[in-house]
């Protein structure tokens, strides 16, 4: 389709110039550049879709954690409700393993520091796995325009050499080969733009997932450090709806001190 767009403006009586003719004139270099750009494009879309699948899987796991995990009596009971390969279960398992390991340490290390370091390593491992492949997208976005430009330069060079060998040439003899050589630059841009957009989008989603993992890891740390006394409070809809009613039931008599935000009520 792209080649048809480039060839759409050619008049009916023009010489037979086209994308495939340009590749054949460019020789092995033009075909190599095209192959590299195709590999970059296919690799970019493959990473985009696989990373979206991985991210959505962890987002769904976070919803399950908020719904059922903290209603359990213990971390082991809550972990049993999660998928075996869940990222959140990995954090819980690593935290429980660190708690058992701390009892075996001979050096005096505070339990909080040991648990915090273990949970931080678990978080970093998950985030590193999520970020795998994004460097390829960044590389494609940064280099594919220059790869296409290299193909263009080679194509123009070959066209000018042929024109110089032929002696005097009309504008039609020059415009065709040079214009076809510029197609490689356009292909490089077509490959680069989706890669850059995919990289920025995936990075933003990874940042949101990392924030959720960090919050969950902090909750697990508080649970372990307090022997289960500290756990996140899950506000229900009935509780949230009852708060405004309770506030409205307490009338404030008297006047407030002028000039104070939320001033102290005074008796008349």
């Amino acid at each position: 389709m792209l080649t048809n767009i480039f060839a759409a403006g050619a008049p009916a009586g023009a010489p037979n110039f086209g994308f495939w003719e340009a590749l054949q004139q460019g020789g092995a270099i033009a075909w190599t550049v095209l192959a590299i750009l195709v590999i970059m494009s296919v690799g970019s879309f493959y990473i985009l879709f696989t990373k979206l699948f991985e991210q959505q899987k962890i987002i769904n796991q976070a919803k399950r954690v908020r719904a059922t995990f903290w209603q359990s009596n213990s971390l082991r009971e809550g972990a049993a409700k999660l998928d075996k390969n869940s990222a959140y279960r990995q954090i819980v398992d690593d935290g429980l393993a660190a708690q058992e390991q701390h009892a075996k340490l001979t050096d005096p290390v505070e339990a909080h520091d040991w648990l915090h370091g273990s949970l931080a390593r678990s978080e970093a491992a998950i985030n590193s796995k999520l970020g795998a492949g994004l460097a390829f997208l960044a590389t494609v976005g940064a280099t594919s325009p220059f790869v296409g430009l290299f193909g263009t330069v080679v194509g123009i060079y070959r066209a000018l050499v042929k024109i110089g060998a032929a002696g005097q040439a009309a504008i039609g003899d020059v415009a065709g080969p040079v214009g076809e050589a510029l197609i490689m630059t356009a292909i490089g841009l077509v490959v680069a733009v989706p890669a850059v957009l995919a990289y920025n989008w995936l990075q933003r989603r990874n940042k949101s997932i990392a924030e959720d993992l960090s919050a969950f890891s902090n909750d697990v740390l508080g649970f372990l450090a307090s022997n289960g006394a500290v756990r996140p409070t899950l506000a229900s809809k009935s509780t949230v709806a009852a708060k405004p009613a309770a506030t409205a039931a307490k009338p404030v008599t008297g006047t407030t001190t002028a000039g104070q935000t939320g001033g102290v009520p005074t008796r008349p």
Side-chain angles (χ1 to χ4, degrees):
M1 184 179 69
L2 188 61
T3 58
N4 295 333
I5 293 175
F6 290 138
N16 187 17
F17 289 130
F19 179 70
W20 300 113
E21 287 77 6
L23 287 178
Q24 292 174 359
Q25 291 178 9
I29 295 179
W31 285 103
T32 301
V33 170
L34 179 64
I36 292 174
L37 292 175
V38 169
I39 292 172
M40 285 182 170
S41 180
V42 172
S44 298
F45 281 101
Y46 173 78
I47 291 174
L48 170 62
F49 290 119
T50 54
K51 287 302 170 184
L52 282 177
F53 176 78
E54 291 180 10
Q55 290 175 343
Q56 191 59 45
K57 186 177 179 181
I58 296 182
I59 291 173
N60 293 336
Q61 293 169 2
K63 296 178 181 178
R64 192 174 298 113
V65 166
R66 287 191 293 267
T68 61
F69 182 81
W70 291 113
Q71 297 176 0
S72 306
N73 296 324
S74 65
L75 290 182
R76 296 188 185 277
E77 180 183 342
K81 299 179 180 179
L82 303 178
D83 296 335
K84 184 177 181 181
N85 297 325
S86 171
Y88 290 88
R89 179 165 182 173
Q90 176 180 334
I91 292 177
V92 175
D93 290 343
D94 291 343
L96 293 173
Q99 189 179 42
E100 295 175 358
Q101 292 168 358
H102 180 264
K104 303 176 182 179
L105 297 179
T106 56
D107 264 350
V109 179
E110 289 190 8
H112 178 274
D113 295 338
W114 178 259
L115 292 173
H116 183 271
S118 299
L119 292 173
R121 286 194 301 271
S122 183
E123 270 185 77
I126 297 172
N127 291 330
S128 177
K129 184 178 179 180
L130 283 174
L134 297 187
F136 180 83
L137 291 178
T139 302
V140 170
T143 61
S144 59
F146 297 101
V147 175
L149 183 61
F150 173 75
T152 294
V153 170
V154 173
I156 292 176
Y157 171 75
R158 288 179 176 272
L160 293 178
V161 168
K162 290 183 179 180
I163 292 170
Q168 295 182 351
I171 187 64
D173 298 332
V174 178
V178 172
E180 289 171 355
L182 293 175
I183 294 176
M184 301 304 286
T185 299
I187 296 176
L189 294 175
V190 169
V191 173
V193 171
V196 173
L197 294 177
Y199 174 80
N200 292 331
W201 186 29
L202 293 176
Q203 280 282 59
R204 180 63 190 90
R205 287 167 63 90
N206 277 349
K207 184 178 179 181
S208 177
I209 292 173
E211 291 173 356
D212 290 340
L213 289 173
S214 178
F216 179 76
S217 176
N218 187 65
D219 292 337
V220 171
L221 177 61
F223 189 95
L224 291 173
S226 64
N227 291 326
V230 176
R231 65 172 64 200
T233 56
L234 302 177
S236 61
K237 293 183 179 179
S238 58
T239 305
V240 175
K243 286 184 179 179
T247 304
K250 296 180 180 180
V252 178
T253 59
T255 59
T256 56
T257 306
Q260 295 182 359
T261 304
V264 179
T266 59
R267 299 288 181 181

